[in-house]
Amino acid sequence: MKLTPGKLAGLKAVSDARNVIAAAAMDQRGSLQKSLAKERGAEATGKDLEIFKSLVTDVLTQHASAILLDPEFGLPASHERHGKGLLLAYEKTGYDANTPGRLPDLLDVWSVRRLKEAGADCLKILLYYTPLEKPEINEIKHAWIERIGDECRSLDIPFFLEFVGYDENGADEKSVAYAKKKPSVVAGAMKEFSMDRYGVDVLKVEVPIVMEFVEGTKAFKGEAAYTREEALGLFRSVGESTEKPFIYLSAGVSNPVFIETLELAGESGVAFNGVLCGRATWKDGIPIYAKQGEAAFREWLETVGVENIENVNKALQAATPWTSKVQSA
């Protein structure tokens, strides 16, 4: 894969000294606001989101290579990142549950140009995607990603595409049945968006297994979808679906589960290139902020939050530098 000077510089900006992406994610909006309100038992405002994001960024970027933020509530936080790299989200949060296919949409008053002017080193898009969806729905998504890829090419900024799988029939994604289907969903998405026509530089992917269904792990809850050996094989085989750099997302699991996941990935030998890790580092601090306020949350971040992200950094010793997969144009 060849990288133009701007894309190469952008990727370097969000990477550590080994050229591994050890980035924190703090671009949650709607889900974070709901979680804060639930814990507080009262409304959580946009100002709450700004403060929460600023505290997370200030503390955790001291232990990360970059931070992923949203331009809606995250721009004040972007000034608290201690010189680390900045990824900005371009998509609207969530999706319209009344429309089939979990179709995506872009933020109304933003463009790649404007995000770059706001300080973004890289651009990130989240897409709900399964290769098993109706072709007419996936064609809408394919064309949408092509447009964004061309926009990023024209501005010479790296394009990170995050895809989150779902069941095309509306079945429960937390079931053992979906866990068995998940490897093909992840692999299909990785293969599709590795095509040059999309202009994606880094794939931000789910791990191909669900840890609670992996027999022989600490996360196992009693119902098996795969043995430990099968899980190791799935990390390897799904990782072979692309030659592009790819990083793992934490998908809302706890810090211990995510660490065990990364250790399993390392044991498998899959050539992953880092993480964009959000809730696994700061999620447990939501009730602290909601009920006890800023000072208590900062104290929690500086102790438990830092411990969480350092656990991730330790597990990232198994990651491969993305430079092994690219060359300068």
Side-chain angles (χ1 to χ4, degrees):
M1 182 174 125
K2 287 189 176 180
L3 286 180
T4 53
K7 287 181 178 277
L8 184 62
L11 284 184
K12 287 274 189 182
V14 299
S15 304
D16 66 13
R18 288 201 304 132
N19 292 311
V20 166
I21 296 163
M26 188 63 264
D27 64 324
Q28 286 76 5
R29 286 155 274 174
S31 61
L32 176 60
Q33 195 162 9
K34 287 175 188 172
S35 296
L36 287 169
K38 181 181 177 184
E39 292 293 341
R40 180 180 286 167
E43 180 190 10
T45 65
K47 188 66 178 174
D48 282 313
L49 294 187
E50 289 185 2
I51 293 168
F52 190 95
K53 289 169 183 284
S54 292
L55 287 167
V56 168
T57 302
D58 183 23
V59 176
L60 296 190
T61 52
Q62 297 178 61
H63 307 269
S65 66
I67 184 82
L68 165 62
L69 294 163
D70 60 279
E72 293 176 284
F73 303 102
L75 290 183
S78 72
H79 302 295
E80 308 291 337
R81 67 183 198 270
H82 301 278
K84 301 300 178 65
L86 177 64
L87 302 99
L88 285 177
Y90 190 16
E91 80 284 346
K92 287 182 179 177
T93 187
Y95 56 87
D96 182 359
N98 297 315
T99 304
R102 304 191 185 188
L103 295 177
D105 199 3
L106 294 177
L107 292 167
D108 292 331
V109 296
W110 289 92
S111 63
V112 172
R113 182 179 297 277
R114 291 181 180 200
L115 291 168
K116 191 171 181 179
E117 288 171 349
D121 296 300
C122 302
L123 187 287
K124 169 258 171 188
I125 281 286
L126 183 148
L127 178 71
Y128 290 94
Y129 188 85
T130 171
L132 307 173
E133 184 57 273
K134 296 180 183 68
E136 57 267 28
I137 288 174
N138 277 350
E139 275 301 282
I140 294 170
K141 296 178 181 182
H142 295 162
W144 191 71
I145 295 298
E146 286 167 9
R147 291 185 203 119
I148 297 163
D150 285 342
E151 206 180 347
C152 290
R153 278 194 191 99
S154 72
L155 275 299
D156 200 16
I157 187 171
F159 178 12
F160 281 57
L161 176 60
E162 171 184 1
F163 34 84
V164 174
Y166 63 94
D167 189 275
E168 75 281 7
N169 299 313
D172 183 8
E173 282 99 22
K174 294 182 179 178
S175 68
V176 68
Y178 182 76
K180 292 175 181 177
K181 186 190 287 191
K182 187 180 181 184
S184 63
V185 171
V186 177
M190 289 174 72
K191 185 175 181 181
E192 176 67 36
F193 293 108
S194 293
M195 288 196 281
D196 287 342
R197 66 183 298 117
Y198 296 111
V200 175
D201 300 296
V202 177
L203 301 170
K204 182 185 175 188
V205 308
E206 296 178 283
V207 294
I209 47 88
V210 182
M211 287 296 288
E212 68 180 76
F213 297 117
V214 182
E215 219 169 6
T217 63
K218 287 179 279 188
F220 184 54
K221 291 188 176 177
E223 189 176 14
Y226 358 72
T227 65
R228 200 171 187 284
E229 283 306 310
E230 286 170 340
L232 291 169
L234 287 168
F235 270 105
R236 289 189 289 269
S237 62
V238 173
E240 290 167 359
S241 303
T242 186
E243 294 182 353
K244 287 184 179 288
F246 68 91
I247 60 178
Y248 290 128
L249 58 109
S250 57
V253 301
S254 69
N255 190 260
V257 170
F258 191 51
I259 298 309
E260 188 179 19
T261 307
L262 293 178
E263 288 171 352
L264 205 62
E267 186 181 336
S268 77
V270 63
F272 76 105
N273 307 110
V275 295
L276 252 167
C277 177
R279 288 169 289 176
T281 52
W282 50 256
K283 178 177 68 172
D284 291 343
I286 290 174
I288 309 291
Y289 175 83
K291 295 171 182 174
Q292 299 176 45
E294 294 177 46
F297 182 47
R298 176 180 284 279
E299 185 179 344
W300 182 91
L301 282 168
E302 289 174 344
T303 51
V304 181
V306 167
E307 183 182 350
N308 286 343
I309 199 166
E310 288 295 357
N311 287 340
V312 173
N313 288 339
K314 185 178 178 183
L316 279 179
Q317 291 304 308
T320 302
W322 53 262
T323 42
S324 65
K325 297 179 179 178
V326 306
Q327 54 183 304
S328 301

